[in-house]
């Protein structure tokens, strides 16, 4: 699954559910939108 951080806008992939952003450490993450998924790929 691809996630996006609303704080630092970092896009990242995880196989297990994520609780915080690996870049900034904040918990303001959500599933990425289709546009963000395309940008990530």
């Amino acid at each position: 699954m691809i996630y996006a951080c609303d704080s630092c806008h970092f896009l990242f992939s995880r196989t297990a559910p994520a609780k915080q952003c690996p870049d900034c450490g904040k918990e303001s993450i959500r599933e990425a939108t289709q546009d963000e998924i395309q940008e990530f790929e």
Side-chain angles (χ1 to χ4, degrees):
M1 180 168 287
I2 309 296
Y3 294 94
C5 178
D6 284 330
S7 294
C8 69
H9 308 288
F10 185 65
L11 298 174
F12 60 100
S13 174
R14 289 286 182 270
T15 55
K19 294 188 179 196
Q20 68 186 58
C21 175
D23 191 47
C24 70
K26 295 191 177 170
E27 295 182 0
S28 57
I29 61 169
R30 58 176 168 73
E31 290 184 27
T33 64
Q34 283 294 6
D35 288 339
E36 290 169 331
I37 292 170
Q38 288 178 353
E39 179 184 331
F40 179 78
E41 294 174 345

